[in-house]
Amino acid sequence: MTVDERLLESHASYADTDSGITERFVSLRLRSGHTLGVLSAPSGPPQPIGWVLCHSFAREQVDLAVTDAVIARRMAAAGYPVLRFHSQGYGDSEFPEFHASVSSHVADAVDAVGALRSLAGVERIGGMGTKFGGAVAALAGQELGLNDLILVAPVVSGNRYMNEQIRSLALTQIASSAQGSVTNAPTGEFLRQLLEDQGYLDWKGLKLTLDVVKENGRMDLLKDVTSFDGRALIVQVSPSEKPQAGLERLATRLASQGATVGRATVLHRQAALFGQKHVLITGPASNDDLFAQLHMEIAEAVAAWLDAPDGGQGFAMVRDAGESLSRGRTHVDPDAMGGE
Amino acid sequence: MKEFPVFVPVPGAHVAATVTVPDGEPRALIALFQGGGGAPRSYYNSLWTIVSRRMAEMGFACVRVDWRAVGDSTGEFHMTMDRPPVDDALAAIDLAMRATGTTRVGAAGMCVGGVTALGAAERLGDACESICVIKLLVHNKRRVTALDRRQKTFRRRVLRFASRHPQIDRILRRYYWKAQMQDTNPVLQQLARLRRQAPIMLTGFKAEMKLTAVFNALQRKYKTGPFEIRELPLEGPMGLQDRLGYQRAVVEQLAEWFDRTLPATVLHSNGDSATAHAPVTAEH
């Protein structure tokens, strides 16, 4: 018997009548190769703007996937088609072992914009993303002259971001060492030196090359985005309402270029962990998603901005995601935060 | 090789899955299950994507699933060690079996995914002909966490004492395994049952291989065939471990295991060989 491709293809989409959306897997042909995307679309007539959702870098692509999906579905429910996809080097892309960098992310996002135009039949496209994905969306927007941006906790300085990534690896190992009564865990400086010496770092199973670290480190949104005069939403995810300096500077920079910048702050006591593994042990054999509520609050902030009058002129919002665990979203991870 | 992403309808949700099919007729279907820590169907660093494409080169179809509220799946993610998402896994396997026409299944899983693989294998019955569990989780209700290890000091003293007195050691061990089997280890009993149904490979890091004693006890108690036990390399000092090498080893071990235990042709009892893929039945 040959494979029943029609049966499989008939399952490539579903409709959610409760939220009024459909989601469909789409095969994308990017310049970098084939990859997979999901088009979230409203069941009813769509708004005239579609959005390309760019994912974050390395392991954050996995840990922010749920955030991205929740935002995409909420936006689709508000009437906007949203395309999220795997950049080359991630998930179900053609070359999963490709060493993705900021330039490959941006190139794939640029191609995805073209794909969404034909998939959703919309001319006006906006870029959006979370953390590193936010930076990618801004850079792709700069390249294509997009007029709409949604940046959730965007990375502003690539150098600082890459340093944080390397330091987080050291911190993880220090935590593991404490559990295993081993005290010789490497420091961030040691890992930096190792990266220089061997040309790559085994970053939790990802080959993080020196070239990629250097290239990403050169990214600086304050310098690289030079001509954006559309509308943008910058979402800060933090434990307090105190504005983050980097996002303040980004908002000021965009406004100085003529952009209409809306601001939203979503509060969560564990916001420092945003982008990292968000599964928390809550019992001998059960875990909870620490950020289940946070995802929804971010999505609601985005939806509110989309709905705001005058293109979000003067939009400002604070939402409190608290730190309560969603009892409905339980994960098992008896091996602590390092579980598989 | 082709890949088909699908949304599998399950009660209250749609779970996303990717079905990979080889060129030509598949010799069997391999189901890959990741753990419950929030990783999607491609798994960290696309490990499952790489495994399924490698398996497709060898003629296997593969299915890998996002658990509920993970990756592209919808719904609420209700999962505990006692109730791994076996129903969702079986729904994806069923769709993949119907589409690929395979009646033979191999199940592999890591951590909670391993427990799910065992649950799915048990429900599939004879259709599941090969099982691999990576990093087996043995659910022990009296599981000792890192924080309360100190409370075990007395037990450690007793064990040290017993190690110098073989007769006491023997009695204590007998009591320990009896308690383990009866009270705290449904997974071990499940393993023993499944071992009569299909070959099982258990693989993990060196530190986890202390479970070897458990498997030997299982074999003695239930008179099952031997488990194939492999060690995954995780070399290097803490923090500098070779996780790239570990991932490569997972790919190679799975490929070798399923190639050996799910051969392209099956030998019937009368000695005739036939192609493995029987036509799909209405029940499927």
Side-chain angles (χ1 to χ4, degrees), chain B residues 98-121:
Chain B
R98 279 189 288 138
T100 58
T102 50
T103 55
R104 308 167 72 203
V105 177
M110 193 174 283
C111 277
V112 178
V115 182
T116 309
L118 294 176

Side-chain angles (χ1 to χ4, degrees), chain A residues 67 70-71 74 266 291-302 319 321 326 329, chain B residues 76:
Chain A
T67 318
V70 170
I71 296 172
R74 181 65 185 87
V266 183
F291 289 150
Q293 187 64 28
L294 179 66
H295 299 149
M296 286 188 273
E297 295 298 336
I298 293 171
E300 288 304 322
V302 169
R319 297 187 72 92
S326 166
R329 300 163 73 95
Chain B
E76 302 289 318

Side-chain angles (χ1 to χ4, degrees), chain A residues 135-156:
Chain A
V136 171
L139 294 170
Q142 162 91 4
E143 191 169 329
L144 292 170
L146 302 182
N147 284 315
D148 306 273
L149 288 177
I150 298 173
L151 313 176
V152 179
V155 169
V156 179

Side-chain angles (χ1 to χ4, degrees), chain A residues 14-24 38-51 53 68-84 116 120 128 150 299-300 302-303 306:
Chain A
Y14 75 93
D16 183 346
T17 50
D18 290 341
S19 57
I21 67 164
T22 61
E23 285 202 310
R24 175 161 59 101
V38 179
L39 178 65
S40 307
S43 301
Q47 299 277 357
I49 310 174
W51 294 85
L53 203 164
D68 290 347
V70 170
I71 296 172
R73 286 169 187 151
R74 181 65 185 87
M75 290 175 71
Y80 298 89
V82 180
L83 174 66
R84 60 183 193 272
L116 179 59
M128 60 184 294
I150 298 173
E300 288 304 322
V302 169
L306 288 168

Side-chain angles (χ1 to χ4, degrees), chain A residues 12-269:
Chain A
S13 64
Y14 75 93
D16 183 346
T17 50
D18 290 341
S19 57
I21 67 164
T22 61
E23 285 202 310
R24 175 161 59 101
F25 281 114
V26 290
S27 176
L28 303 175
R29 177 83 182 146
L30 311 176
R31 280 171 294 173
S32 57
H34 282 288
T35 194
L36 184 68
V38 179
L39 178 65
S40 307
S43 301
Q47 299 277 357
I49 310 174
W51 294 85
V52 167
L53 203 164
C54 309
H55 63 69
S56 196
F57 179 71
R59 191 92 165 219
E60 284 187 357
Q61 181 262 338
V62 167
D63 292 323
L64 290 169
V66 179
T67 318
D68 290 347
V70 170
I71 296 172
R73 286 169 187 151
R74 181 65 185 87
M75 290 175 71
Y80 298 89
V82 180
L83 174 66
R84 60 183 193 272
F85 67 102
H86 293 159
S87 291
Q88 208 57 246
Y90 295 89
D92 284 348
S93 64
E94 186 175 355
F95 306 108
E97 292 173 283
F98 174 76
H99 299 154
S101 65
V102 65
S103 60
S104 71
H105 274 253
V106 171
D108 288 347
V110 166
D111 291 351
V113 168
L116 179 59
R117 282 206 174 97
S118 55
L119 284 168
V122 287
E123 270 308 307
R124 187 169 163 186
I125 306 281
M128 60 184 294
T130 305
K131 294 207 74 179
F132 189 83
V136 171
L139 294 170
Q142 162 91 4
E143 191 169 329
L144 292 170
L146 302 182
N147 284 315
D148 306 273
L149 288 177
I150 298 173
L151 313 176
V152 179
V155 169
V156 179
S157 163
N159 188 41
R160 184 174 173 182
Y161 175 72
M162 294 313 296
N163 280 334
E164 282 173 1
Q165 295 292 306
I166 293 169
R167 202 162 58 233
S168 76
L169 178 62
L171 287 172
T172 305
Q173 300 307 341
I174 288 167
S176 305
S177 302
Q179 279 193 338
S181 306
V182 178
T183 54
N184 58 345
T187 61
E189 290 71 27
F190 179 84
L191 292 175
R192 266 275 178 193
Q193 189 58 50
L194 187 66
L195 174 67
E196 294 279 348
D197 292 345
Q198 68 181 19
Y200 73 92
L201 213 52
D202 187 342
W203 203 92
K204 299 180 187 176
L206 175 86
K207 195 167 187 177
L208 184 62
T209 66
L210 182 60
D211 290 342
V212 169
V213 172
K214 282 182 175 174
E215 188 194 323
N216 290 358
R218 285 193 291 272
M219 188 267 292
D220 183 350
L221 279 195
L222 298 177
K223 292 178 183 164
D224 296 341
V225 179
T226 55
S227 58
F228 180 76
D229 58 0
R231 61 172 187 153
L233 171 68
I234 298 177
V235 181
Q236 173 177 318
V237 178
S238 59
S240 77
E241 291 184 42
K242 185 183 173 189
Q244 291 173 344
L247 299 189
E248 279 289 289
R249 283 197 289 272
L250 179 62
T252 306
R253 176 82 176 137
L254 295 180
S256 72
Q257 294 169 15
T260 304
V261 184
R263 297 294 302 271
T265 302
V266 183
L267 303 174
H268 195 289
R269 279 188 65 179

Side-chain angles (χ1 to χ4, degrees), chain A residues 1 4-5 11 14 59 73 84 91-94 173 177 202 204-205 277 279 285 330-332 334 340, chain B residues 2 7 18 25 35-37 43-46 49 53 64 72 74 77 79-80 99 112 143 238 243-244 247:
Chain A
M1 176 188 164
D4 188 349
E5 296 188 7
H11 284 78
Y14 75 93
R59 191 92 165 219
R73 286 169 187 151
R84 60 183 193 272
D92 284 348
S93 64
E94 186 175 355
Q173 300 307 341
S177 302
D202 187 342
K204 299 180 187 176
K277 199 167 162 60
V279 172
T330 307
H331 301 262
V332 176
E340 304 289 341
Chain B
K2 278 187 176 178
F7 287 107
T18 299
E25 289 190 44
Y43 205 29
Y44 290 118
N45 306 313
S46 300
T49 307
R53 289 174 186 174
R64 45 199 166 88
D72 295 317
T74 66
F77 197 21
M79 184 159 63
T80 66
V112 178
R143 185 166 161 264
M238 180 67 76
R243 290 206 167 255
L244 289 162
Q247 288 174 175

